Amino acid sequence: MDRVDLVDANVELLLRLRDITKEYNIGGQEVYALDGVSLDVNVGEFVAIMGPSGSGKSTMMNMIGCLDVPSGGSYEIDGAEVSSLDDDELASIRNKKIGFVFQGFNLIARTTALENVELPLVYGRIKDRRNTAIAALQRVGLGDRIEHTSSELSGGQQQRVAIARAIVTQPRLILADEPTGNISTLQSEEIMQIFQELNDNGVTIVMVTHEEDIARHCKRRVEMRDGKIVSDQPIEDRLVAKDVIEQMKSQAITRKPLALAGT
Amino acid sequence: MGISEYFRLAIRALKSNVMRTALSMLGISIGVAVTILVVAIGQGATKSVADQVNGMGTNLLMVHQGAREMKLTAAGRSTTSTSTTLSSSTTTTSVKATTTPQGTLTLADALMIEKMFPESVQAIAPQVRGGVQVRLGSSNASSNVLGTTPEYLVVNNSTVRLGRFFTAVENAQNMKVCVLGSTLAENLTGNSSANLVGQNISVNRDNYLVVGMLAAKGTGTGGPDPDDVVVIPLSTAMARILAITTISDLSISCVSPIMMPLAQQQVTSLLRQRHHLVPPFPQNDDFVVRNQADLLVRSQSVTKTMTMLLTAVAIISLIVGGIGIMNVMLMSVKERTREIGIRKAIGARAHDILMQFLVEASIISILGGVAGAVLGVVSAILLASFGGWNTIVSPTTLIVSIVVSAGVGIFFGIHPAQKAATMRPIEALRYE
């Protein structure tokens, strides 16, 4: 197993997983969703976690996101050992250090974009919520949609609201679980563009995806199978979302007359 | 996260499903409305009973003859019968009218009380009662005859609406004059405020001149109608209609409220002495002395029982309303499991979720309580103006019932809110 070891004094360790196990009892049988996973993620990394379904990548995300607790092993986030924290402290870590982006967007229904984005600030007891939330929405290009409810937004727009909600508390880590799973290719690229910009500004991103094209936007690729990490490599031929979008748009323009000619 | 924030969240959640909110409020509304109505009726009844008792006269003592006479022992009876000569020796049974059974209370007793206790007794009105047939022209009515003295007016707090009351002279001369109550006037003429002064009416086929019309006293709550009456001089009633020598009861007006216990005690011991009664008392008494306070207590114990019963009904309906709220909140928690998961993922603590749902339940119950209070007050007013019931809504009732409904909401909201608060974020997020 290859592992990228960046032992460098200038690099700050953000996540430190050691021999993490997670077992479920299904029908009287112990099933290991995670079977001794060790992983280090430094500040500023952009990691894609890949693998077939059942490989344990989602369980891994839930562990990293402090939504679930491991059965064994040690997990430190930003120097804090997660197993020693109580529920309220975990909630506080989720609120301040982590931003979640889910496959199904997970916006709160019948609530405006602005209110969705304000919510982490509400739970974080932060003042001046409105302006902070508007700034986050502007950053994802939705400054003109703040009063729209989720049913009035497209899939890509909803996912951008979710990203705004994830970044509004300026967390060190963004966790994205199949963030492009439910949206079109162009919108996916737009989402990846936002992630790349965030990453360029120093935000660490860990993303679960099964799409090879999406994973190529990241900097590091971790592959899992049967609850174990089977490969961990830097991405050589990295895609830049901005370029891909421009390419797609120019193709669309050149393709249009062709399509017309065909009819 | 401040309380205003929870409030905002709760209002939004409730607005998003108005129908469900309204339905869950309904139970608590009905509970509060019933409570307010019940208490209003209870307090109204208590007040009308008090008014009625006070309307009987001020500082009033009532002496009734022989309520316990039937239970007297043979020995007790024999001592009484030899001594109370007036009552037992000259008695002839009435053939003309229904009379109260012959007792031991006599006019002489009344005169003696008046003579002996001027310091405590202001006026005394002996009374005899019986059922009679009254006729005016062609209309006929069964009514009650009340024979008394002119003191009756003062002692029993009655007023003459038209004409005059009969005089002491008319009483002394067994004159056939009468004063009519409003119910009897209505039964005879169809009009309760009819003027029959100067006309002759027939009481048990004997003609009486109507000299006055009494003002209505009203029935209040239950009991015989005090206005269905023809009042005639005591001596006339005893000699001509009822043919008795004893009297049914005495109404005694005391000088002041402070003198009432003394008067009650004086009258009791005098009557025991005059009737030659022997202990034990009060078992061997052949009369009963009651004051207004006794009457109030007696009638209020009835209203109290009624109020307690209805209050039990009100409490049950509040509990049912609370269970309704719990049911809706449990459904709401289940329905919003995913939302709870999202909130927890972005940093809501268990306490935040608990408060969110608890505030929601409280708002439902407080709004329900206020709606119920309005409903209760409106129906109390309607009941008073159309049903003729006496209802009293006090501010205390309103405040208490709204506070109680808030308490019910919080109590029944705790379980669903805790269920939401203790959900594991990962399971809540996975919930479809």
Side-chain angles (χ1 to χ4, degrees), chain B residues 116-365:
Chain B
M116 281 189 67
F117 312 121
E119 76 282 6
S120 57
V121 172
Q122 190 180 46
I124 183 160
Q127 290 156 20
V128 292
R129 298 166 195 276
V132 286
Q133 278 299 121
V134 180
R135 219 173 68 211
L136 171 73
S138 60
S139 53
N140 227 316
S142 287
S143 188
N144 305 297
V145 68
L146 173 67
T148 186
T149 58
E151 283 81 12
Y152 171 85
L153 268 192
V154 185
V155 174
N156 284 317
N157 209 17
S158 294
T159 44
V160 174
R161 180 167 56 84
L162 289 167
R164 60 176 179 84
F165 207 74
F166 50 79
T167 63
V169 175
E170 284 165 331
N171 182 35
Q173 295 180 351
N174 289 12
M175 302 266 291
K176 296 198 280 180
V177 288
C178 67
V179 182
L180 299 183
S182 60
T183 304
L184 179 57
E186 186 176 7
N187 290 346
L188 290 173
T189 66
N191 177 8
S192 62
S193 51
N195 184 3
L196 299 175
V197 175
Q199 299 201 38
N200 276 308
I201 62 163
S202 138
V203 179
N204 281 5
R205 295 191 194 127
D206 208 356
N207 279 335
Y208 283 75
L209 174 69
V210 179
V211 296
M213 309 294 290
L214 287 170
K217 289 196 136 193
T219 42
T221 50
D225 186 351
D227 297 320
D228 186 9
V229 70
V230 48
V231 185
I232 64 172
L234 178 69
S235 53
T236 316
M238 289 170 77
R240 291 183 188 273
I241 296 185
L242 302 171
I244 49 169
T245 52
T246 61
I247 55 175
S248 323
D249 45 277
L250 291 170
S251 292
I252 301 169
S253 174
C254 300
V255 178
S256 68
I258 305 157
M259 297 306 278
M260 285 185 73
L262 175 65
Q264 189 163 359
Q265 189 233 311
Q266 286 171 331
V267 168
T268 306
S269 53
L270 179 75
L271 288 177
R272 279 174 187 161
Q273 189 196 330
R274 283 178 60 81
H275 294 184
H276 299 272
L277 302 181
V278 292
F281 297 124
Q283 287 85 346
N284 284 356
D285 280 338
D286 60 355
F287 59 92
V288 184
V289 183
R290 288 206 188 95
N291 58 37
Q292 284 156 298
D294 293 342
L295 280 179
L296 263 182
V297 168
R298 267 161 59 104
S299 46
Q300 276 175 352
S301 73
V302 177
T303 28
K304 218 177 250 173
T305 312
M306 192 180 83
T307 308
M308 266 169 62
L309 271 171
L310 292 173
T311 307
V313 172
I315 288 171
I316 289 169
S317 51
L318 275 177
I319 290 173
V320 171
I323 291 170
I325 287 182
M326 179 151 79
N327 192 12
V328 167
M329 291 309 294
L330 281 173
M331 270 171 53
S332 175
V333 166
K334 199 166 178 69
E335 212 172 77
R336 284 148 71 189
T337 301
R338 205 174 166 80
E339 177 192 321
I340 294 163
I342 298 167
R343 288 180 185 278
K344 289 203 155 188
I346 61 177
R349 296 173 309 162
H351 176 256
D352 293 324
I353 303 291
L354 183 87
M355 284 301 287
Q356 183 187 337
F357 282 92
L358 213 49
V359 168
E360 214 176 298
S362 308
I363 290 176
I364 291 180
S365 60

Side-chain angles (χ1 to χ4, degrees), chain A residues 94 115 123 125 129, chain B residues 1 5 12 343-344 349:
Chain A
R94 289 196 295 268
E115 284 165 330
Y123 289 125
R125 289 149 181 81
R129 296 197 279 265
Chain B
M1 192 163 161
E5 205 61 52
R12 176 190 312 290
R343 288 180 185 278
K344 289 203 155 188
R349 296 173 309 162

Side-chain angles (χ1 to χ4, degrees), chain A residues 24 62 67-68 87-88 91 94-95 100 102 106-108 110-111 115 119-120 122-123 125 129 165, chain B residues 1 5 8-9 12 16 338-339 342-350 352 356 424-426 429-430:
Chain A
Y24 292 106
N62 294 332
L67 290 170
D68 208 350
D87 283 351
D88 281 356
R94 289 196 295 268
N95 184 250
F100 289 94
F102 303 94
N106 277 350
L107 298 180
I108 291 176
R110 292 178 292 265
T111 304
E115 284 165 330
L119 214 50
V122 169
Y123 289 125
R125 289 149 181 81
R129 296 197 279 265
R165 188 177 65 188
Chain B
M1 192 163 161
E5 205 61 52
R8 234 163 46 96
L9 278 177
R12 176 190 312 290
S16 72
R338 205 174 166 80
E339 177 192 321
I342 298 167
R343 288 180 185 278
K344 289 203 155 188
I346 61 177
R349 296 173 309 162
D352 293 324
Q356 183 187 337
R424 297 220 62 83
I426 185 66
L429 271 175
R430 279 204 199 111

Side-chain angles (χ1 to χ4, degrees), chain A residues 75-111:
Chain A
Y75 168 40
E76 285 173 28
I77 176 167
D78 211 5
E81 173 57 52
V82 168
S83 62
S84 70
L85 302 176
D86 66 20
D87 283 351
D88 281 356
E89 287 166 329
L90 288 177
S92 174
I93 284 191
R94 289 196 295 268
N95 184 250
K96 293 184 173 60
K97 297 198 171 163
I98 304 170
F100 289 94
V101 179
F102 303 94
Q103 180 176 12
F105 321 135
N106 277 350
L107 298 180
I108 291 176
R110 292 178 292 265
T111 304

